[in-house]
Short mmCIF file of all heavy atoms in Angstrom, two decimals:
data_model
loop_
_atom_site.label_atom_id
_atom_site.label_comp_id
_atom_site.label_asym_id
_atom_site.label_seq_id
_atom_site.Cartn_x
_atom_site.Cartn_y
_atom_site.Cartn_z
N LEU T 1 -10.31 -11.93 -6.04
CA LEU T 1 -9.24 -11.03 -5.50
C LEU T 1 -9.85 -9.87 -4.82
O LEU T 1 -10.93 -9.36 -5.18
CB LEU T 1 -8.32 -10.64 -6.61
CG LEU T 1 -7.56 -11.69 -7.26
CD1 LEU T 1 -6.78 -11.16 -8.46
CD2 LEU T 1 -6.70 -12.46 -6.32
N LEU T 2 -9.20 -9.32 -3.82
CA LEU T 2 -9.69 -8.29 -2.91
C LEU T 2 -9.20 -6.91 -3.31
O LEU T 2 -8.12 -6.71 -3.81
CB LEU T 2 -9.28 -8.58 -1.50
CG LEU T 2 -9.69 -9.88 -0.87
CD1 LEU T 2 -9.00 -10.10 0.44
CD2 LEU T 2 -11.20 -10.02 -0.72
N VAL T 3 -10.05 -5.92 -2.85
CA VAL T 3 -9.64 -4.52 -2.82
C VAL T 3 -9.58 -4.16 -1.35
O VAL T 3 -10.55 -4.28 -0.67
CB VAL T 3 -10.62 -3.62 -3.60
CG1 VAL T 3 -10.24 -2.17 -3.43
CG2 VAL T 3 -10.69 -3.98 -5.11
N GLU T 4 -8.41 -3.72 -0.89
CA GLU T 4 -8.24 -3.30 0.46
C GLU T 4 -8.45 -1.75 0.50
O GLU T 4 -7.63 -1.00 0.05
CB GLU T 4 -6.79 -3.59 0.88
CG GLU T 4 -6.52 -3.39 2.40
CD GLU T 4 -7.27 -4.37 3.31
OE1 GLU T 4 -7.56 -5.46 2.89
OE2 GLU T 4 -7.58 -3.94 4.44
N ASP T 5 -9.59 -1.36 1.08
CA ASP T 5 -10.00 0.02 1.12
C ASP T 5 -9.68 0.65 2.50
O ASP T 5 -10.43 0.42 3.44
CB ASP T 5 -11.46 0.21 0.74
CG ASP T 5 -11.90 1.66 0.54
OD1 ASP T 5 -11.09 2.52 0.83
OD2 ASP T 5 -13.04 1.87 0.19
N LEU T 6 -8.59 1.43 2.57
CA LEU T 6 -8.19 2.08 3.82
C LEU T 6 -8.49 3.56 3.76
O LEU T 6 -7.98 4.33 4.62
CB LEU T 6 -6.75 1.83 4.09
CG LEU T 6 -6.31 0.31 4.18
CD1 LEU T 6 -4.82 0.19 4.28
CD2 LEU T 6 -7.01 -0.32 5.30
N ARG T 7 -9.23 4.03 2.76
CA ARG T 7 -9.48 5.51 2.63
C ARG T 7 -10.01 6.17 3.83
O ARG T 7 -9.86 7.39 4.04
CB ARG T 7 -10.33 5.75 1.38
CG ARG T 7 -9.65 5.47 0.06
CD ARG T 7 -10.58 5.67 -1.06
NE ARG T 7 -11.69 4.73 -0.96
CZ ARG T 7 -12.71 4.61 -1.85
NH1 ARG T 7 -12.74 5.43 -2.81
NH2 ARG T 7 -13.66 3.73 -1.64
N TYR T 8 -10.83 5.42 4.60
CA TYR T 8 -11.44 6.09 5.74
C TYR T 8 -10.70 5.86 7.11
O TYR T 8 -11.19 6.18 8.13
CB TYR T 8 -12.93 5.58 5.88
CG TYR T 8 -13.67 5.87 4.55
CD1 TYR T 8 -13.91 4.85 3.61
CD2 TYR T 8 -13.98 7.19 4.20
CE1 TYR T 8 -14.50 5.10 2.39
CE2 TYR T 8 -14.56 7.47 3.01
CZ TYR T 8 -14.90 6.43 2.12
OH TYR T 8 -15.45 6.68 0.86
N SER T 9 -9.62 5.25 6.91
CA SER T 9 -8.68 5.09 8.09
C SER T 9 -8.03 6.41 8.40
O SER T 9 -7.89 7.22 7.49
CB SER T 9 -7.66 3.98 7.72
OG SER T 9 -6.59 4.04 8.63
N ARG T 10 -7.56 6.62 9.63
CA ARG T 10 -6.86 7.79 9.97
C ARG T 10 -5.30 7.50 10.10
O ARG T 10 -4.55 8.32 10.69
CB ARG T 10 -7.39 8.40 11.22
CG ARG T 10 -8.89 8.78 11.02
CD ARG T 10 -9.53 9.44 12.25
NE ARG T 10 -8.97 10.64 12.68
CZ ARG T 10 -9.13 11.84 12.16
NH1 ARG T 10 -9.76 12.02 11.08
NH2 ARG T 10 -8.51 12.91 12.72
N ALA T 11 -4.90 6.39 9.55
CA ALA T 11 -3.52 5.98 9.61
C ALA T 11 -2.56 6.99 8.94
O ALA T 11 -2.90 7.53 7.92
CB ALA T 11 -3.31 4.63 8.97
N THR T 12 -1.40 7.21 9.56
CA THR T 12 -0.38 8.05 8.95
C THR T 12 0.82 7.27 8.48
O THR T 12 1.66 7.80 7.81
CB THR T 12 0.09 9.11 10.02
OG1 THR T 12 0.64 8.47 11.14
CG2 THR T 12 -1.06 10.05 10.41
N VAL T 13 0.88 5.99 8.91
CA VAL T 13 2.02 5.11 8.60
C VAL T 13 1.48 3.74 8.15
O VAL T 13 0.60 3.19 8.80
CB VAL T 13 2.96 4.96 9.84
CG1 VAL T 13 4.05 3.93 9.47
CG2 VAL T 13 3.52 6.28 10.27
N VAL T 14 2.10 3.18 7.12
CA VAL T 14 1.95 1.78 6.80
C VAL T 14 3.19 1.12 7.20
O VAL T 14 4.28 1.42 6.62
CB VAL T 14 1.69 1.52 5.29
CG1 VAL T 14 1.52 0.02 5.01
CG2 VAL T 14 0.44 2.29 4.81
N PRO T 15 3.22 0.27 8.23
CA PRO T 15 4.45 -0.21 8.83
C PRO T 15 5.21 -1.21 7.96
O PRO T 15 4.65 -1.77 6.97
CB PRO T 15 4.05 -0.94 10.10
CG PRO T 15 2.56 -0.78 10.18
CD PRO T 15 2.06 -0.12 9.00
N HIS T 16 6.47 -1.47 8.21
CA HIS T 16 7.43 -2.36 7.55
C HIS T 16 6.72 -3.68 7.21
O HIS T 16 6.06 -4.30 8.10
CB HIS T 16 8.60 -2.55 8.43
CG HIS T 16 9.56 -3.63 7.94
ND1 HIS T 16 10.41 -3.32 6.86
CD2 HIS T 16 9.76 -4.85 8.39
CE1 HIS T 16 11.10 -4.44 6.70
NE2 HIS T 16 10.75 -5.41 7.56
N SER T 17 6.72 -4.04 6.00
CA SER T 17 6.25 -5.32 5.40
C SER T 17 4.78 -5.60 5.73
O SER T 17 4.30 -6.69 5.77
CB SER T 17 7.08 -6.51 6.03
OG SER T 17 8.44 -6.41 5.61
N TYR T 18 3.97 -4.56 5.94
CA TYR T 18 2.57 -4.68 6.32
C TYR T 18 1.77 -5.62 5.44
O TYR T 18 0.98 -6.41 5.86
CB TYR T 18 1.98 -3.34 6.47
CG TYR T 18 0.55 -3.38 7.11
CD1 TYR T 18 0.40 -3.61 8.51
CD2 TYR T 18 -0.56 -3.22 6.34
CE1 TYR T 18 -0.79 -3.65 9.03
CE2 TYR T 18 -1.82 -3.27 6.96
CZ TYR T 18 -1.92 -3.46 8.28
OH TYR T 18 -3.18 -3.52 8.88
N PHE T 19 1.88 -5.44 4.11
CA PHE T 19 1.09 -6.20 3.17
C PHE T 19 1.95 -7.29 2.43
O PHE T 19 1.42 -8.03 1.64
CB PHE T 19 0.47 -5.35 2.07
CG PHE T 19 -0.56 -4.36 2.54
CD1 PHE T 19 -0.30 -3.02 2.62
CD2 PHE T 19 -1.87 -4.85 2.92
CE1 PHE T 19 -1.27 -2.16 3.09
CE2 PHE T 19 -2.85 -4.00 3.35
CZ PHE T 19 -2.55 -2.60 3.42
N ALA T 20 3.23 -7.35 2.69
CA ALA T 20 4.12 -8.22 2.03
C ALA T 20 3.63 -9.63 2.00
O ALA T 20 3.06 -10.14 2.96
CB ALA T 20 5.51 -8.16 2.66
N ASN T 21 3.84 -10.25 0.83
CA ASN T 21 3.51 -11.68 0.59
C ASN T 21 1.99 -11.93 0.48
O ASN T 21 1.62 -13.13 0.41
CB ASN T 21 4.12 -12.57 1.67
CG ASN T 21 5.61 -12.54 1.60
OD1 ASN T 21 6.24 -12.72 0.60
ND2 ASN T 21 6.26 -12.23 2.77
N ASN T 22 1.17 -10.94 0.58
CA ASN T 22 -0.27 -11.17 0.44
C ASN T 22 -0.62 -11.43 -1.03
O ASN T 22 -0.38 -10.57 -1.82
CB ASN T 22 -1.06 -9.95 1.02
CG ASN T 22 -2.53 -10.22 1.08
OD1 ASN T 22 -3.14 -10.67 0.08
ND2 ASN T 22 -3.13 -9.93 2.18
N ARG T 23 -1.15 -12.57 -1.28
CA ARG T 23 -1.56 -12.98 -2.70
C ARG T 23 -2.99 -12.70 -3.02
O ARG T 23 -3.33 -12.96 -4.19
CB ARG T 23 -1.15 -14.37 -2.89
CG ARG T 23 0.35 -14.64 -2.80
CD ARG T 23 0.73 -16.07 -3.11
NE ARG T 23 2.14 -16.23 -3.27
CZ ARG T 23 3.04 -16.42 -2.34
NH1 ARG T 23 2.62 -16.48 -1.08
NH2 ARG T 23 4.26 -16.56 -2.64
N ALA T 24 -3.78 -12.26 -2.11
CA ALA T 24 -5.23 -12.04 -2.39
C ALA T 24 -5.56 -10.61 -2.75
O ALA T 24 -6.64 -10.40 -3.35
CB ALA T 24 -6.01 -12.44 -1.12
N ILE T 25 -4.76 -9.65 -2.38
CA ILE T 25 -5.11 -8.24 -2.68
C ILE T 25 -4.72 -7.85 -4.07
O ILE T 25 -3.64 -7.97 -4.49
CB ILE T 25 -4.46 -7.32 -1.64
CG1 ILE T 25 -4.95 -7.62 -0.27
CG2 ILE T 25 -4.69 -5.83 -2.00
CD1 ILE T 25 -4.27 -6.86 0.83
N ARG T 26 -5.71 -7.28 -4.79
CA ARG T 26 -5.51 -6.78 -6.18
C ARG T 26 -5.27 -5.32 -6.20
O ARG T 26 -4.49 -4.77 -6.99
CB ARG T 26 -6.71 -7.15 -7.07
CG ARG T 26 -6.57 -6.66 -8.46
CD ARG T 26 -7.87 -6.80 -9.30
NE ARG T 26 -8.96 -6.01 -8.76
CZ ARG T 26 -9.17 -4.74 -8.91
NH1 ARG T 26 -8.26 -4.01 -9.55
NH2 ARG T 26 -10.21 -4.13 -8.38
N ALA T 27 -5.97 -4.62 -5.23
CA ALA T 27 -5.77 -3.03 -5.23
C ALA T 27 -5.85 -2.63 -3.78
O ALA T 27 -6.54 -3.21 -2.98
CB ALA T 27 -6.82 -2.44 -6.04
N ILE T 28 -5.12 -1.54 -3.58
CA ILE T 28 -5.07 -0.92 -2.20
C ILE T 28 -5.34 0.56 -2.37
O ILE T 28 -4.73 1.23 -3.12
CB ILE T 28 -3.74 -1.16 -1.49
CG1 ILE T 28 -3.43 -2.60 -1.33
CG2 ILE T 28 -3.63 -0.43 -0.20
CD1 ILE T 28 -2.04 -2.97 -0.83
N LEU T 29 -6.39 1.08 -1.54
CA LEU T 29 -6.76 2.43 -1.62
C LEU T 29 -6.31 2.99 -0.25
O LEU T 29 -6.78 2.59 0.80
CB LEU T 29 -8.27 2.52 -1.74
CG LEU T 29 -8.88 1.65 -2.88
CD1 LEU T 29 -10.41 1.82 -2.83
CD2 LEU T 29 -8.31 2.10 -4.19
N LEU T 30 -5.37 3.93 -0.29
CA LEU T 30 -4.73 4.41 0.91
C LEU T 30 -5.40 5.74 1.41
O LEU T 30 -5.96 6.55 0.60
CB LEU T 30 -3.29 4.65 0.75
CG LEU T 30 -2.53 3.29 0.45
CD1 LEU T 30 -1.12 3.53 -0.08
CD2 LEU T 30 -2.58 2.47 1.70
N PRO T 31 -5.38 6.04 2.72
CA PRO T 31 -6.06 7.19 3.25
C PRO T 31 -5.31 8.49 3.06
O PRO T 31 -4.06 8.52 2.85
CB PRO T 31 -6.06 6.93 4.82
CG PRO T 31 -4.87 6.04 5.01
CD PRO T 31 -4.76 5.25 3.80
N SER T 32 -6.08 9.59 3.03
CA SER T 32 -5.46 10.95 2.76
C SER T 32 -4.51 11.33 3.96
O SER T 32 -3.63 12.23 3.76
CB SER T 32 -6.56 11.97 2.62
OG SER T 32 -7.29 12.11 3.70
N THR T 33 -4.61 10.73 5.01
CA THR T 33 -3.77 11.03 6.21
C THR T 33 -2.40 10.43 6.14
O THR T 33 -1.52 10.72 6.96
CB THR T 33 -4.45 10.55 7.54
OG1 THR T 33 -4.80 9.17 7.38
CG2 THR T 33 -5.70 11.38 7.80
N LEU T 34 -2.22 9.47 5.18
CA LEU T 34 -0.92 8.75 5.09
C LEU T 34 0.23 9.63 4.81
O LEU T 34 0.21 10.52 3.90
CB LEU T 34 -1.02 7.69 3.92
CG LEU T 34 0.11 6.71 3.86
CD1 LEU T 34 0.16 5.84 5.10
CD2 LEU T 34 0.03 5.88 2.63
N ARG T 35 1.32 9.49 5.51
CA ARG T 35 2.57 10.29 5.42
C ARG T 35 3.76 9.37 5.13
O ARG T 35 4.74 9.84 4.51
CB ARG T 35 2.82 11.16 6.61
CG ARG T 35 1.68 12.18 6.86
CD ARG T 35 1.65 13.22 5.81
NE ARG T 35 0.59 14.19 5.95
CZ ARG T 35 -0.61 14.12 5.37
NH1 ARG T 35 -0.92 13.13 4.58
NH2 ARG T 35 -1.49 15.04 5.58
N THR T 36 3.76 8.12 5.67
CA THR T 36 4.95 7.32 5.58
C THR T 36 4.54 5.90 5.10
O THR T 36 3.63 5.26 5.66
CB THR T 36 5.64 7.18 6.96
OG1 THR T 36 5.95 8.47 7.39
CG2 THR T 36 6.89 6.36 6.89
N ILE T 37 5.30 5.40 4.13
CA ILE T 37 5.16 3.98 3.66
C ILE T 37 6.48 3.31 4.07
O ILE T 37 7.60 3.71 3.67
CB ILE T 37 4.94 3.96 2.19
CG1 ILE T 37 3.60 4.62 1.83
CG2 ILE T 37 4.97 2.46 1.69
CD1 ILE T 37 3.29 4.72 0.34
N GLY T 38 6.43 2.26 4.85
CA GLY T 38 7.57 1.57 5.39
C GLY T 38 8.31 0.73 4.38
O GLY T 38 7.90 0.59 3.17
N VAL T 39 9.38 0.09 4.75
CA VAL T 39 10.21 -0.74 3.95
C VAL T 39 9.51 -2.02 3.57
O VAL T 39 8.83 -2.64 4.44
CB VAL T 39 11.57 -1.12 4.75
CG1 VAL T 39 12.42 -2.01 3.94
CG2 VAL T 39 12.28 0.16 5.10
N PHE T 40 9.50 -2.45 2.30
CA PHE T 40 9.01 -3.66 1.78
C PHE T 40 7.51 -3.85 2.07
O PHE T 40 6.96 -4.91 2.12
CB PHE T 40 9.76 -4.92 2.37
CG PHE T 40 11.20 -4.94 2.01
CD1 PHE T 40 12.19 -4.73 3.00
CD2 PHE T 40 11.67 -5.00 0.69
CE1 PHE T 40 13.51 -4.67 2.68
CE2 PHE T 40 12.99 -4.99 0.36
CZ PHE T 40 13.97 -4.85 1.39
N VAL T 41 6.75 -2.77 2.15
CA VAL T 41 5.37 -2.82 2.47
C VAL T 41 4.56 -3.62 1.48
O VAL T 41 3.65 -4.41 1.79
CB VAL T 41 4.72 -1.38 2.58
CG1 VAL T 41 3.24 -1.43 2.69
CG2 VAL T 41 5.30 -0.68 3.84
N PHE T 42 4.84 -3.48 0.18
CA PHE T 42 4.09 -4.15 -0.84
C PHE T 42 4.86 -5.23 -1.55
O PHE T 42 4.52 -5.69 -2.66
CB PHE T 42 3.58 -3.13 -1.87
CG PHE T 42 2.81 -2.00 -1.28
CD1 PHE T 42 3.32 -0.70 -1.33
CD2 PHE T 42 1.56 -2.17 -0.66
CE1 PHE T 42 2.64 0.38 -0.75
CE2 PHE T 42 0.88 -1.10 -0.10
CZ PHE T 42 1.41 0.21 -0.14
N ALA T 43 5.95 -5.65 -0.92
CA ALA T 43 6.84 -6.66 -1.57
C ALA T 43 6.21 -7.98 -1.74
O ALA T 43 5.43 -8.44 -0.97
CB ALA T 43 8.09 -6.80 -0.71
N ARG T 44 6.49 -8.67 -2.93
CA ARG T 44 6.06 -9.96 -3.25
C ARG T 44 4.57 -10.16 -3.14
O ARG T 44 4.06 -11.19 -2.74
CB ARG T 44 6.76 -11.02 -2.38
CG ARG T 44 8.25 -10.98 -2.60
CD ARG T 44 9.02 -11.90 -1.61
NE ARG T 44 8.78 -11.64 -0.23
CZ ARG T 44 9.38 -10.64 0.48
NH1 ARG T 44 10.23 -9.81 -0.15
NH2 ARG T 44 9.11 -10.49 1.76
N MET T 45 3.80 -9.08 -3.55
CA MET T 45 2.34 -9.23 -3.69
C MET T 45 1.99 -9.60 -5.12
O MET T 45 1.85 -8.69 -5.98
CB MET T 45 1.70 -7.92 -3.26
CG MET T 45 1.94 -7.62 -1.77
SD MET T 45 1.05 -6.04 -1.33
CE MET T 45 -0.71 -6.59 -1.42
N GLU T 46 1.87 -10.80 -5.34
CA GLU T 46 1.77 -11.31 -6.77
C GLU T 46 0.47 -10.83 -7.53
O GLU T 46 0.52 -10.63 -8.72
CB GLU T 46 1.77 -12.88 -6.74
CG GLU T 46 3.10 -13.43 -6.34
CD GLU T 46 3.07 -14.96 -6.25
OE1 GLU T 46 2.07 -15.58 -6.61
OE2 GLU T 46 4.11 -15.49 -5.78
N SER T 47 -0.58 -10.56 -6.78
CA SER T 47 -1.81 -10.14 -7.47
C SER T 47 -2.05 -8.62 -7.50
O SER T 47 -3.00 -8.18 -8.14
CB SER T 47 -3.02 -10.81 -6.75
OG SER T 47 -3.00 -12.19 -6.76
N LEU T 48 -1.19 -7.88 -6.81
CA LEU T 48 -1.34 -6.43 -6.75
C LEU T 48 -1.17 -5.81 -8.04
O LEU T 48 -0.19 -5.99 -8.80
CB LEU T 48 -0.30 -5.85 -5.81
CG LEU T 48 -0.47 -4.35 -5.46
CD1 LEU T 48 -1.79 -4.13 -4.75
CD2 LEU T 48 0.68 -3.92 -4.56
N GLU T 49 -2.19 -4.94 -8.47
CA GLU T 49 -2.15 -4.30 -9.70
C GLU T 49 -2.26 -2.76 -9.60
O GLU T 49 -1.84 -2.04 -10.45
CB GLU T 49 -3.44 -4.71 -10.59
CG GLU T 49 -3.43 -6.21 -10.94
CD GLU T 49 -4.69 -6.61 -11.67
OE1 GLU T 49 -5.54 -5.72 -11.85
OE2 GLU T 49 -4.79 -7.81 -11.97
N GLU T 50 -2.77 -2.28 -8.45
CA GLU T 50 -3.01 -0.86 -8.28
C GLU T 50 -2.86 -0.44 -6.82
O GLU T 50 -3.27 -1.12 -5.89
CB GLU T 50 -4.41 -0.52 -8.74
CG GLU T 50 -4.77 0.94 -8.56
CD GLU T 50 -6.22 1.24 -8.96
OE1 GLU T 50 -6.89 0.37 -9.42
OE2 GLU T 50 -6.63 2.40 -8.80
N ILE T 51 -2.15 0.73 -6.62
CA ILE T 51 -2.06 1.37 -5.33
C ILE T 51 -2.57 2.77 -5.57
O ILE T 51 -2.05 3.51 -6.31
CB ILE T 51 -0.63 1.41 -4.80
CG1 ILE T 51 -0.04 0.03 -4.64
CG2 ILE T 51 -0.59 2.13 -3.47
CD1 ILE T 51 1.38 -0.06 -4.43
N ASP T 52 -3.66 3.10 -4.85
CA ASP T 52 -4.27 4.48 -5.01
C ASP T 52 -3.75 5.38 -3.89
O ASP T 52 -4.07 5.24 -2.73
CB ASP T 52 -5.77 4.36 -4.92
CG ASP T 52 -6.51 5.68 -5.16
OD1 ASP T 52 -5.75 6.76 -5.23
OD2 ASP T 52 -7.71 5.73 -5.31
N LEU T 53 -2.93 6.32 -4.35
CA LEU T 53 -2.32 7.34 -3.44
C LEU T 53 -2.95 8.67 -3.57
O LEU T 53 -2.51 9.65 -3.01
CB LEU T 53 -0.79 7.46 -3.66
CG LEU T 53 0.05 6.25 -3.33
CD1 LEU T 53 1.46 6.39 -3.94
CD2 LEU T 53 0.15 6.01 -1.88
N SER T 54 -4.05 8.76 -4.34
CA SER T 54 -4.71 10.06 -4.62
C SER T 54 -5.18 10.65 -3.31
O SER T 54 -5.72 10.00 -2.44
CB SER T 54 -5.83 9.88 -5.54
OG SER T 54 -6.82 9.07 -5.08
N GLY T 55 -4.90 11.98 -3.15
CA GLY T 55 -5.26 12.64 -1.97
C GLY T 55 -4.27 12.52 -0.76
O GLY T 55 -4.43 13.18 0.21
N THR T 56 -3.27 11.68 -0.97
CA THR T 56 -2.23 11.52 0.12
C THR T 56 -1.08 12.52 -0.08
O THR T 56 -0.85 13.01 -1.15
CB THR T 56 -1.62 10.13 0.17
OG1 THR T 56 -0.87 9.86 -1.02
CG2 THR T 56 -2.72 9.02 0.27
N ILE T 57 -0.39 12.83 1.01
CA ILE T 57 0.77 13.62 0.93
C ILE T 57 1.88 12.72 1.59
O ILE T 57 2.36 13.03 2.76
CB ILE T 57 0.62 14.91 1.64
CG1 ILE T 57 -0.53 15.71 1.09
CG2 ILE T 57 1.94 15.74 1.54
CD1 ILE T 57 -0.89 17.00 1.79
N VAL T 58 2.35 11.74 0.87
CA VAL T 58 3.38 10.83 1.37
C VAL T 58 4.73 11.51 1.40
O VAL T 58 5.07 12.05 0.36
CB VAL T 58 3.43 9.52 0.56
CG1 VAL T 58 4.58 8.67 1.01
CG2 VAL T 58 2.09 8.80 0.66
N GLU T 59 5.33 11.61 2.52
CA GLU T 59 6.62 12.28 2.66
C GLU T 59 7.83 11.34 2.66
O GLU T 59 8.92 11.71 2.31
CB GLU T 59 6.57 13.07 4.01
CG GLU T 59 5.52 14.08 4.09
CD GLU T 59 5.25 14.64 5.46
OE1 GLU T 59 5.79 14.04 6.47
OE2 GLU T 59 4.51 15.61 5.55
N THR T 60 7.57 10.02 3.06
CA THR T 60 8.63 9.09 3.16
C THR T 60 8.20 7.73 2.61
O THR T 60 7.16 7.27 3.00
CB THR T 60 9.08 8.87 4.63
OG1 THR T 60 9.40 10.18 5.22
CG2 THR T 60 10.25 7.99 4.73
N ILE T 61 9.00 7.13 1.73
CA ILE T 61 8.78 5.81 1.19
C ILE T 61 10.00 4.97 1.44
O ILE T 61 11.09 5.35 1.02
CB ILE T 61 8.43 5.85 -0.34
CG1 ILE T 61 7.17 6.68 -0.52
CG2 ILE T 61 8.31 4.38 -0.86
CD1 ILE T 61 6.81 6.79 -2.07
N GLY T 62 9.78 3.89 2.15
CA GLY T 62 10.89 2.98 2.44
C GLY T 62 11.44 2.25 1.21
O GLY T 62 10.78 2.04 0.29
N GLU T 63 12.71 1.83 1.34
CA GLU T 63 13.33 1.14 0.21
C GLU T 63 12.60 -0.21 -0.05
O GLU T 63 12.04 -0.84 0.86
CB GLU T 63 14.83 0.88 0.50
CG GLU T 63 15.15 -0.41 1.19
CD GLU T 63 16.63 -0.60 1.32
OE1 GLU T 63 17.25 0.16 2.05
OE2 GLU T 63 17.14 -1.55 0.76
N GLY T 64 12.59 -0.59 -1.27
CA GLY T 64 11.97 -1.90 -1.73
C GLY T 64 10.53 -1.98 -1.42
O GLY T 64 9.97 -3.06 -1.22
N PHE T 65 9.81 -0.84 -1.35
CA PHE T 65 8.42 -0.91 -1.01
C PHE T 65 7.55 -1.63 -2.05
O PHE T 65 6.54 -2.23 -1.75
CB PHE T 65 7.80 0.47 -0.73
CG PHE T 65 7.30 1.25 -1.89
CD1 PHE T 65 5.95 1.43 -2.07
CD2 PHE T 65 8.20 1.85 -2.79
CE1 PHE T 65 5.45 2.12 -3.14
CE2 PHE T 65 7.76 2.59 -3.84
CZ PHE T 65 6.32 2.71 -3.97
N LEU T 66 8.07 -1.78 -3.29
CA LEU T 66 7.44 -2.57 -4.29
C LEU T 66 8.38 -3.58 -4.88
O LEU T 66 9.57 -3.28 -4.99
CB LEU T 66 6.98 -1.67 -5.48
CG LEU T 66 5.68 -0.93 -5.34
CD1 LEU T 66 5.52 0.01 -6.57
CD2 LEU T 66 4.54 -1.78 -5.25
N SER T 67 7.93 -4.74 -5.27
CA SER T 67 8.86 -5.67 -5.96
C SER T 67 8.38 -6.06 -7.30
O SER T 67 8.96 -6.91 -7.98
CB SER T 67 8.92 -6.99 -5.09
OG SER T 67 7.64 -7.57 -4.97
N LYS T 68 7.38 -5.30 -7.86
CA LYS T 68 6.93 -5.49 -9.19
C LYS T 68 6.31 -4.20 -9.72
O LYS T 68 5.98 -3.34 -8.83
CB LYS T 68 6.02 -6.63 -9.35
CG LYS T 68 4.60 -6.44 -8.77
CD LYS T 68 3.72 -7.67 -9.15
CE LYS T 68 2.29 -7.12 -9.33
NZ LYS T 68 1.44 -8.20 -9.91
N SER T 69 6.02 -4.10 -10.88
CA SER T 69 5.44 -2.89 -11.49
C SER T 69 3.91 -2.94 -11.26
O SER T 69 3.31 -3.87 -11.62
CB SER T 69 5.75 -2.80 -13.01
OG SER T 69 5.28 -1.67 -13.51
N VAL T 70 3.43 -1.85 -10.68
CA VAL T 70 1.98 -1.66 -10.50
C VAL T 70 1.55 -0.30 -10.89
O VAL T 70 2.36 0.58 -10.93
CB VAL T 70 1.51 -2.04 -9.06
CG1 VAL T 70 1.83 -3.48 -8.70
CG2 VAL T 70 2.06 -1.07 -8.11
N SER T 71 0.27 -0.07 -11.04
CA SER T 71 -0.20 1.30 -11.29
C SER T 71 -0.35 2.02 -10.00
O SER T 71 -0.98 1.56 -9.07
CB SER T 71 -1.61 1.19 -11.98
OG SER T 71 -2.14 2.43 -12.14
N VAL T 72 0.30 3.18 -9.95
CA VAL T 72 0.32 3.99 -8.67
C VAL T 72 -0.32 5.35 -8.99
O VAL T 72 -0.12 5.95 -9.99
CB VAL T 72 1.73 4.19 -8.13
CG1 VAL T 72 1.71 5.10 -6.95
CG2 VAL T 72 2.29 2.86 -7.83
#
């Protein structure tokens, strides 16, 4: 299983359904520049256990961004 490390990205938005249905990612590390998480971004990710938001200042989270309980 994979760890998706985006900490060094300069992204400010994770678009609608960006990671949805991905069964290979176990953890996602998000960049400090992140401000918006779109709708259903992490939906139906069966292997996802952790989303690292440390250092981020997320202002907007879309509805249904998670479809299961994970460590945030």
Side-chain angles (χ1 to χ4, degrees):
L1 297 176
L2 302 172
V3 173
E4 187 70 27
D5 188 350
L6 301 174
R7 289 176 297 179
Y8 303 105
S9 164
R10 298 181 60 75
T12 59
V13 175
V14 179
H16 173 74
S17 299
Y18 189 75
F19 294 107
N21 299 307
N22 186 311
R23 292 181 168 89
I25 296 175
R26 180 188 61 79
I28 298 174
L29 313 175
L30 296 169
S32 62
T33 54
L34 188 67
R35 298 295 177 262
T36 302
I37 297 175
V39 177
F40 301 113
V41 169
F42 308 112
R44 297 174 305 281
M45 294 183 69
E46 294 176 4
S47 300
L48 186 63
E49 297 174 2
E50 177 184 358
I51 301 169
D52 184 352
L53 294 167
S54 61
T56 67
I57 304 174
V58 175
E59 299 165 348
T60 306
I61 298 177
E63 90 176 66
F65 87 106
L66 280 175
S67 60
K68 72 174 214 169
S69 183
V70 298
S71 176
V72 177

